[in-house]
Amino acid sequence: KKSYFWYKKAAENGVIIAQNNLASMYYYGKGVKKDLQKAFYWYDKAAKANNEVALLNLGSMYVTGDYVEKNASKGVNLLEKSANLGNDTAKMKLADLYREANEVEQDYNRSFNYYEHLANKSNTKAMYYLGFYYFNGFGVKKDIDKATFWFLRAKSLGHKRSANFLKIHNLK
C-alpha cells in the first residue's frame, strides 16, 4: 500500500521509472486491484519516454493481445526499441518470437543474432539455441563443432537441456 502511494505520486509527477513500476503493480495486481487499463496507460506513458522496461512490457501486451487489440507488428517494434536500448529480456523475447514464428514471420538470422549476443553474456538458454542452430543449420551453416562448443559451454553452466542434447546425440 505504501509503495503504491509513492509510485502513484511519483508517476503523476513524471518520474518515468515510477510510471513503469506503477503499471506493473496494476498489471500483476500487486498491492492494488489488477487493472489492465491502468497498466496500459502507465506503460504507454513510460514507453513514450523511451523507458526500456516499459517498451518491453507494452510490446509484450501488443504481441499477446493482453488488454489491447493484438498487434504483433506494433509489439515487435516496441520490443526492438527496448532491445536497441540494451534490454536483454527484450532481446530474448525477440529471439524466441523470430524462432517460433507464431506471431511474426520466422527469421532464423535475426533470432540467431539475438541469441549470439545473449550467449556472449553467459545466457545458457541462448547458448543452447546457438548450439541447436549450428546443429541443424538454422540461419547459419551447419557446424557440429560449433554446436558442440555451445552445448558444452551451456552444460558447464548447469543447463540441463544442453546436457541432454549432448547425450542424446552423442556429442563430446
PDB file of all heavy atoms in Angstrom, residues 58-82:
ATOM      1  N   LEU A  58       4.998  -3.004 -22.693  1.00  0.00           N
ATOM      2  CA  LEU A  58       3.949  -2.586 -23.624  1.00  0.00           C
ATOM      3  C   LEU A  58       4.006  -3.431 -24.899  1.00  0.00           C
ATOM      4  O   LEU A  58       2.968  -3.880 -25.407  1.00  0.00           O
ATOM      5  CB  LEU A  58       4.091  -1.097 -23.948  1.00  0.00           C
ATOM      6  CG  LEU A  58       2.961  -0.466 -24.736  1.00  0.00           C
ATOM      7  CD1 LEU A  58       1.638  -0.542 -23.966  1.00  0.00           C
ATOM      8  CD2 LEU A  58       3.296   0.999 -25.048  1.00  0.00           C
ATOM      9  N   GLY A  59       5.216  -3.663 -25.400  1.00  0.00           N
ATOM     10  CA  GLY A  59       5.376  -4.511 -26.579  1.00  0.00           C
ATOM     11  C   GLY A  59       4.824  -5.899 -26.348  1.00  0.00           C
ATOM     12  O   GLY A  59       4.152  -6.473 -27.218  1.00  0.00           O
ATOM     13  N   SER A  60       5.066  -6.442 -25.175  1.00  0.00           N
ATOM     14  CA  SER A  60       4.553  -7.771 -24.834  1.00  0.00           C
ATOM     15  C   SER A  60       3.029  -7.784 -24.816  1.00  0.00           C
ATOM     16  O   SER A  60       2.408  -8.758 -25.255  1.00  0.00           O
ATOM     17  CB  SER A  60       5.095  -8.217 -23.481  1.00  0.00           C
ATOM     18  OG  SER A  60       6.500  -8.351 -23.533  1.00  0.00           O
ATOM     19  N   MET A  61       2.423  -6.701 -24.320  1.00  0.00           N
ATOM     20  CA  MET A  61       0.959  -6.622 -24.314  1.00  0.00           C
ATOM     21  C   MET A  61       0.414  -6.655 -25.739  1.00  0.00           C
ATOM     22  O   MET A  61      -0.579  -7.326 -26.014  1.00  0.00           O
ATOM     23  CB  MET A  61       0.484  -5.355 -23.586  1.00  0.00           C
ATOM     24  CG  MET A  61       0.643  -5.421 -22.073  1.00  0.00           C
ATOM     25  SD  MET A  61       0.060  -3.927 -21.222  1.00  0.00           S
ATOM     26  CE  MET A  61      -1.713  -4.269 -21.124  1.00  0.00           C
ATOM     27  N   TYR A  62       1.073  -5.941 -26.652  1.00  0.00           N
ATOM     28  CA  TYR A  62       0.612  -5.930 -28.044  1.00  0.00           C
ATOM     29  C   TYR A  62       0.827  -7.287 -28.720  1.00  0.00           C
ATOM     30  O   TYR A  62      -0.018  -7.739 -29.489  1.00  0.00           O
ATOM     31  CB  TYR A  62       1.310  -4.831 -28.846  1.00  0.00           C
ATOM     32  CG  TYR A  62       0.648  -3.485 -28.694  1.00  0.00           C
ATOM     33  CD1 TYR A  62       1.263  -2.468 -27.966  1.00  0.00           C
ATOM     34  CD2 TYR A  62      -0.593  -3.220 -29.259  1.00  0.00           C
ATOM     35  CE1 TYR A  62       0.658  -1.220 -27.818  1.00  0.00           C
ATOM     36  CE2 TYR A  62      -1.207  -1.988 -29.121  1.00  0.00           C
ATOM     37  CZ  TYR A  62      -0.581  -0.998 -28.398  1.00  0.00           C
ATOM     38  OH  TYR A  62      -1.194   0.224 -28.250  1.00  0.00           O
ATOM     39  N   VAL A  63       1.941  -7.943 -28.435  1.00  0.00           N
ATOM     40  CA  VAL A  63       2.223  -9.241 -29.057  1.00  0.00           C
ATOM     41  C   VAL A  63       1.192 -10.283 -28.627  1.00  0.00           C
ATOM     42  O   VAL A  63       0.719 -11.070 -29.441  1.00  0.00           O
ATOM     43  CB  VAL A  63       3.664  -9.724 -28.733  1.00  0.00           C
ATOM     44  CG1 VAL A  63       3.853 -11.185 -29.103  1.00  0.00           C
ATOM     45  CG2 VAL A  63       4.687  -8.861 -29.470  1.00  0.00           C
ATOM     46  N   THR A  64       0.837 -10.264 -27.352  1.00  0.00           N
ATOM     47  CA  THR A  64      -0.095 -11.273 -26.836  1.00  0.00           C
ATOM     48  C   THR A  64      -1.558 -10.849 -26.937  1.00  0.00           C
ATOM     49  O   THR A  64      -2.450 -11.683 -26.793  1.00  0.00           O
ATOM     50  CB  THR A  64       0.208 -11.587 -25.362  1.00  0.00           C
ATOM     51  OG1 THR A  64       0.069 -10.392 -24.586  1.00  0.00           O
ATOM     52  CG2 THR A  64       1.599 -12.164 -25.195  1.00  0.00           C
ATOM     53  N   GLY A  65      -1.794  -9.554 -27.165  1.00  0.00           N
ATOM     54  CA  GLY A  65      -3.173  -9.070 -27.193  1.00  0.00           C
ATOM     55  C   GLY A  65      -3.758  -8.986 -25.794  1.00  0.00           C
ATOM     56  O   GLY A  65      -4.959  -9.140 -25.601  1.00  0.00           O
ATOM     57  N   ASP A  66      -2.904  -8.766 -24.813  1.00  0.00           N
ATOM     58  CA  ASP A  66      -3.335  -8.662 -23.425  1.00  0.00           C
ATOM     59  C   ASP A  66      -3.872  -7.254 -23.179  1.00  0.00           C
ATOM     60  O   ASP A  66      -3.105  -6.291 -23.126  1.00  0.00           O
ATOM     61  CB  ASP A  66      -2.145  -8.966 -22.512  1.00  0.00           C
ATOM     62  CG  ASP A  66      -2.550  -9.397 -21.122  1.00  0.00           C
ATOM     63  OD1 ASP A  66      -3.760  -9.537 -20.867  1.00  0.00           O
ATOM     64  OD2 ASP A  66      -1.648  -9.595 -20.294  1.00  0.00           O
ATOM     65  N   TYR A  67      -5.173  -7.123 -23.048  1.00  0.00           N
ATOM     66  CA  TYR A  67      -5.945  -5.902 -22.884  1.00  0.00           C
ATOM     67  C   TYR A  67      -6.101  -5.148 -24.198  1.00  0.00           C
ATOM     68  O   TYR A  67      -7.184  -4.704 -24.536  1.00  0.00           O
ATOM     69  CB  TYR A  67      -5.366  -4.965 -21.808  1.00  0.00           C
ATOM     70  CG  TYR A  67      -6.102  -3.634 -21.779  1.00  0.00           C
ATOM     71  CD1 TYR A  67      -7.402  -3.552 -21.286  1.00  0.00           C
ATOM     72  CD2 TYR A  67      -5.525  -2.484 -22.302  1.00  0.00           C
ATOM     73  CE1 TYR A  67      -8.096  -2.350 -21.307  1.00  0.00           C
ATOM     74  CE2 TYR A  67      -6.215  -1.278 -22.307  1.00  0.00           C
ATOM     75  CZ  TYR A  67      -7.503  -1.216 -21.812  1.00  0.00           C
ATOM     76  OH  TYR A  67      -8.191  -0.033 -21.838  1.00  0.00           O
ATOM     77  N   VAL A  68      -5.032  -4.993 -24.975  1.00  0.00           N
ATOM     78  CA  VAL A  68      -5.097  -4.255 -26.237  1.00  0.00           C
ATOM     79  C   VAL A  68      -5.428  -5.211 -27.378  1.00  0.00           C
ATOM     80  O   VAL A  68      -5.268  -6.425 -27.250  1.00  0.00           O
ATOM     81  CB  VAL A  68      -3.759  -3.543 -26.541  1.00  0.00           C
ATOM     82  CG1 VAL A  68      -3.452  -2.508 -25.496  1.00  0.00           C
ATOM     83  CG2 VAL A  68      -2.628  -4.533 -26.656  1.00  0.00           C
ATOM     84  N   GLU A  69      -5.851  -4.648 -28.505  1.00  0.00           N
ATOM     85  CA  GLU A  69      -6.050  -5.477 -29.682  1.00  0.00           C
ATOM     86  C   GLU A  69      -4.683  -6.011 -30.114  1.00  0.00           C
ATOM     87  O   GLU A  69      -3.709  -5.259 -30.214  1.00  0.00           O
ATOM     88  CB  GLU A  69      -6.680  -4.657 -30.818  1.00  0.00           C
ATOM     89  CG  GLU A  69      -7.036  -5.504 -32.019  1.00  0.00           C
ATOM     90  CD  GLU A  69      -7.762  -4.707 -33.093  1.00  0.00           C
ATOM     91  OE1 GLU A  69      -8.479  -3.747 -32.746  1.00  0.00           O
ATOM     92  OE2 GLU A  69      -7.598  -5.063 -34.272  1.00  0.00           O
ATOM     93  N   LYS A  70      -4.627  -7.304 -30.331  1.00  0.00           N
ATOM     94  CA  LYS A  70      -3.362  -7.945 -30.689  1.00  0.00           C
ATOM     95  C   LYS A  70      -2.794  -7.315 -31.957  1.00  0.00           C
ATOM     96  O   LYS A  70      -3.482  -7.170 -32.956  1.00  0.00           O
ATOM     97  CB  LYS A  70      -3.598  -9.442 -30.905  1.00  0.00           C
ATOM     98  CG  LYS A  70      -2.359 -10.253 -31.041  1.00  0.00           C
ATOM     99  CD  LYS A  70      -2.733 -11.734 -31.078  1.00  0.00           C
ATOM    100  CE  LYS A  70      -1.512 -12.585 -31.062  1.00  0.00           C
ATOM    101  NZ  LYS A  70      -1.861 -13.997 -30.935  1.00  0.00           N
ATOM    102  N   ASN A  71      -1.529  -6.894 -31.863  1.00  0.00           N
ATOM    103  CA  ASN A  71      -0.864  -6.272 -32.984  1.00  0.00           C
ATOM    104  C   ASN A  71       0.619  -6.627 -32.878  1.00  0.00           C
ATOM    105  O   ASN A  71       1.411  -5.893 -32.281  1.00  0.00           O
ATOM    106  CB  ASN A  71      -1.079  -4.753 -32.959  1.00  0.00           C
ATOM    107  CG  ASN A  71      -0.500  -4.057 -34.164  1.00  0.00           C
ATOM    108  OD1 ASN A  71       0.432  -4.545 -34.796  1.00  0.00           O
ATOM    109  ND2 ASN A  71      -1.048  -2.899 -34.486  1.00  0.00           N
ATOM    110  N   ALA A  72       0.976  -7.795 -33.435  1.00  0.00           N
ATOM    111  CA  ALA A  72       2.339  -8.309 -33.316  1.00  0.00           C
ATOM    112  C   ALA A  72       3.357  -7.345 -33.908  1.00  0.00           C
ATOM    113  O   ALA A  72       4.439  -7.151 -33.354  1.00  0.00           O
ATOM    114  CB  ALA A  72       2.448  -9.681 -33.959  1.00  0.00           C
ATOM    115  N   SER A  73       3.007  -6.708 -35.011  1.00  0.00           N
ATOM    116  CA  SER A  73       3.929  -5.781 -35.658  1.00  0.00           C
ATOM    117  C   SER A  73       4.270  -4.608 -34.738  1.00  0.00           C
ATOM    118  O   SER A  73       5.439  -4.248 -34.563  1.00  0.00           O
ATOM    119  CB  SER A  73       3.308  -5.284 -36.966  1.00  0.00           C
ATOM    120  OG  SER A  73       4.124  -4.319 -37.553  1.00  0.00           O
ATOM    121  N   LYS A  74       3.254  -4.020 -34.127  1.00  0.00           N
ATOM    122  CA  LYS A  74       3.476  -2.913 -33.198  1.00  0.00           C
ATOM    123  C   LYS A  74       4.246  -3.402 -31.977  1.00  0.00           C
ATOM    124  O   LYS A  74       5.162  -2.725 -31.485  1.00  0.00           O
ATOM    125  CB  LYS A  74       2.130  -2.302 -32.784  1.00  0.00           C
ATOM    126  CG  LYS A  74       2.270  -1.055 -31.947  1.00  0.00           C
ATOM    127  CD  LYS A  74       0.920  -0.379 -31.753  1.00  0.00           C
ATOM    128  CE  LYS A  74       1.109   0.975 -31.091  1.00  0.00           C
ATOM    129  NZ  LYS A  74      -0.106   1.771 -31.112  1.00  0.00           N
ATOM    130  N   GLY A  75       3.897  -4.581 -31.499  1.00  0.00           N
ATOM    131  CA  GLY A  75       4.582  -5.154 -30.350  1.00  0.00           C
ATOM    132  C   GLY A  75       6.054  -5.394 -30.622  1.00  0.00           C
ATOM    133  O   GLY A  75       6.913  -5.037 -29.808  1.00  0.00           O
ATOM    134  N   VAL A  76       6.358  -5.980 -31.778  1.00  0.00           N
ATOM    135  CA  VAL A  76       7.754  -6.244 -32.136  1.00  0.00           C
ATOM    136  C   VAL A  76       8.519  -4.932 -32.285  1.00  0.00           C
ATOM    137  O   VAL A  76       9.677  -4.832 -31.861  1.00  0.00           O
ATOM    138  CB  VAL A  76       7.842  -7.114 -33.408  1.00  0.00           C
ATOM    139  CG1 VAL A  76       9.244  -7.123 -33.989  1.00  0.00           C
ATOM    140  CG2 VAL A  76       7.385  -8.536 -33.099  1.00  0.00           C
ATOM    141  N   ASN A  77       7.877  -3.928 -32.848  1.00  0.00           N
ATOM    142  CA  ASN A  77       8.518  -2.616 -32.987  1.00  0.00           C
ATOM    143  C   ASN A  77       8.922  -2.059 -31.613  1.00  0.00           C
ATOM    144  O   ASN A  77      10.028  -1.558 -31.433  1.00  0.00           O
ATOM    145  CB  ASN A  77       7.578  -1.654 -33.720  1.00  0.00           C
ATOM    146  CG  ASN A  77       8.220  -0.317 -34.005  1.00  0.00           C
ATOM    147  OD1 ASN A  77       9.430  -0.183 -34.050  1.00  0.00           O
ATOM    148  ND2 ASN A  77       7.396   0.693 -34.210  1.00  0.00           N
ATOM    149  N   LEU A  78       8.022  -2.175 -30.643  1.00  0.00           N
ATOM    150  CA  LEU A  78       8.324  -1.704 -29.289  1.00  0.00           C
ATOM    151  C   LEU A  78       9.426  -2.556 -28.652  1.00  0.00           C
ATOM    152  O   LEU A  78      10.314  -2.034 -27.975  1.00  0.00           O
ATOM    153  CB  LEU A  78       7.061  -1.723 -28.432  1.00  0.00           C
ATOM    154  CG  LEU A  78       5.996  -0.693 -28.823  1.00  0.00           C
ATOM    155  CD1 LEU A  78       4.650  -1.020 -28.181  1.00  0.00           C
ATOM    156  CD2 LEU A  78       6.444   0.705 -28.437  1.00  0.00           C
ATOM    157  N   LEU A  79       9.377  -3.865 -28.874  1.00  0.00           N
ATOM    158  CA  LEU A  79      10.417  -4.752 -28.343  1.00  0.00           C
ATOM    159  C   LEU A  79      11.772  -4.432 -28.965  1.00  0.00           C
ATOM    160  O   LEU A  79      12.804  -4.448 -28.273  1.00  0.00           O
ATOM    161  CB  LEU A  79      10.056  -6.215 -28.592  1.00  0.00           C
ATOM    162  CG  LEU A  79       8.864  -6.758 -27.799  1.00  0.00           C
ATOM    163  CD1 LEU A  79       8.452  -8.135 -28.322  1.00  0.00           C
ATOM    164  CD2 LEU A  79       9.183  -6.820 -26.318  1.00  0.00           C
ATOM    165  N   GLU A  80      11.773  -4.126 -30.259  1.00  0.00           N
ATOM    166  CA  GLU A  80      13.028  -3.756 -30.942  1.00  0.00           C
ATOM    167  C   GLU A  80      13.600  -2.467 -30.332  1.00  0.00           C
ATOM    168  O   GLU A  80      14.809  -2.358 -30.125  1.00  0.00           O
ATOM    169  CB  GLU A  80      12.806  -3.560 -32.448  1.00  0.00           C
ATOM    170  CG  GLU A  80      12.445  -4.817 -33.211  1.00  0.00           C
ATOM    171  CD  GLU A  80      13.643  -5.675 -33.620  1.00  0.00           C
ATOM    172  OE1 GLU A  80      14.783  -5.333 -33.282  1.00  0.00           O
ATOM    173  OE2 GLU A  80      13.410  -6.697 -34.276  1.00  0.00           O
ATOM    174  N   LYS A  81      12.725  -1.500 -30.040  1.00  0.00           N
ATOM    175  CA  LYS A  81      13.192  -0.258 -29.405  1.00  0.00           C
ATOM    176  C   LYS A  81      13.817  -0.560 -28.047  1.00  0.00           C
ATOM    177  O   LYS A  81      14.872  -0.025 -27.704  1.00  0.00           O
ATOM    178  CB  LYS A  81      12.036   0.733 -29.232  1.00  0.00           C
ATOM    179  CG  LYS A  81      11.637   1.448 -30.490  1.00  0.00           C
ATOM    180  CD  LYS A  81      10.530   2.451 -30.188  1.00  0.00           C
ATOM    181  CE  LYS A  81      10.118   3.190 -31.435  1.00  0.00           C
ATOM    182  NZ  LYS A  81       9.030   4.144 -31.173  1.00  0.00           N
ATOM    183  N   SER A  82      13.165  -1.418 -27.282  1.00  0.00           N
ATOM    184  CA  SER A  82      13.683  -1.806 -25.977  1.00  0.00           C
ATOM    185  C   SER A  82      15.027  -2.511 -26.119  1.00  0.00           C
ATOM    186  O   SER A  82      15.984  -2.214 -25.396  1.00  0.00           O
ATOM    187  CB  SER A  82      12.676  -2.716 -25.259  1.00  0.00           C
ATOM    188  OG  SER A  82      13.182  -3.137 -24.015  1.00  0.00           O
TER     189      SER A  82
END
